[in-house]
């Protein structure tokens, strides 16, 4: 049997035994189709709520450590602690406009158990008018 035939048989066997060989492992990869929510113009008495839908497009489960926000006026919470490949989760955000004025931009970071960097950044923006 020639070298080319033996090599071809080896390659076919490897792909049969290890079907994922040659495919890159993505890990987890969170995405959001609408990562920015503009709440428009509101007064200082407003309490704004929004729900972002996020999705794991990777091939590993995403372990949620916590949701961090850029300001105490904004609170975020995710409805799942583990987001499997192909699964979605909802991130509920509440922004309180009290004692704020002018243009506002608040970030919401979704943090993983095994990384100090955010896996996804969501943003709410708007304008708070003072009476």
């Amino acid at each position: 049997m020639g070298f080319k035939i033996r090599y071809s048989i080896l390659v076919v066997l490897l792909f049969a035994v290890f079907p994922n060989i040659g495919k890159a492992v993505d890990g987890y990869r969170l995405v959001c189709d609408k990562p920015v929510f503009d709440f428009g113009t509101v007064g200082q008495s407003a309490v704004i709520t929004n729900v972002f839908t996020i999705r794991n497009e990777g091939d590993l489960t995403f372990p949620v450590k916590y949701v961090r926000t850029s300001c105490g006026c904004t609170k975020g919470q995710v409805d799942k602690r583990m987001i499997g490949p192909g699964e979605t989760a909802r991130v509920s955000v509440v922004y309180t406009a009290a004692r704020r004025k002018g243009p506002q931009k608040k970030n919401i970071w979704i943090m993983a158990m095994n990384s100090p960097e955010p896996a996804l950044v969501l943003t709410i923006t708007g304008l708070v008018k003072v009476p």
Side-chain angles (χ1 to χ4, degrees):
M1 201 181 312
F3 174 75
K4 287 184 181 179
I5 293 173
R6 280 186 272 162
Y7 179 76
S8 297
I9 291 172
L10 177 63
V11 169
V12 169
L13 285 174
L14 281 173
F15 279 108
V17 174
F18 302 104
N20 289 330
I21 197 167
K23 293 182 182 176
V25 175
D26 292 330
Y28 54 77
R29 189 172 74 237
L30 293 186
V31 296
C32 181
D33 293 334
K34 296 180 181 178
V36 177
F37 172 69
D38 184 347
F39 58 80
T41 302
V42 298
Q44 288 181 316
S45 63
V47 175
I48 307 298
T49 60
N50 186 58
V51 177
F52 293 93
T53 300
I54 62 174
R55 173 174 73 256
N56 182 358
E57 289 188 350
D59 58 3
L60 293 178
T61 298
F62 177 77
V64 178
K65 184 174 185 179
Y66 57 85
V67 177
R68 191 175 127 210
T69 61
S70 59
C71 178
C73 63
T74 308
K75 304 291 181 209
Q77 182 176 348
V78 66
D79 69 346
K80 291 183 180 180
R81 284 291 174 216
M82 302 295 274
I83 306 169
E87 291 183 349
T88 62
R90 297 164 45 96
V91 180
S92 301
V93 177
V94 178
Y95 167 75
T96 304
R99 297 185 307 276
R100 307 282 173 222
K101 63 181 179 180
Q104 301 293 303
K105 179 181 177 183
K106 306 301 177 191
N107 292 321
I108 301 95
W109 296 285
I110 312 301
M111 306 299 291
M113 288 286 192
N114 54 359
S115 175
E117 298 297 319
L120 182 65
V121 180
L122 306 169
T123 305
I124 59 170
T125 63
L127 179 66
V128 177
K129 284 220 168 200
V130 179

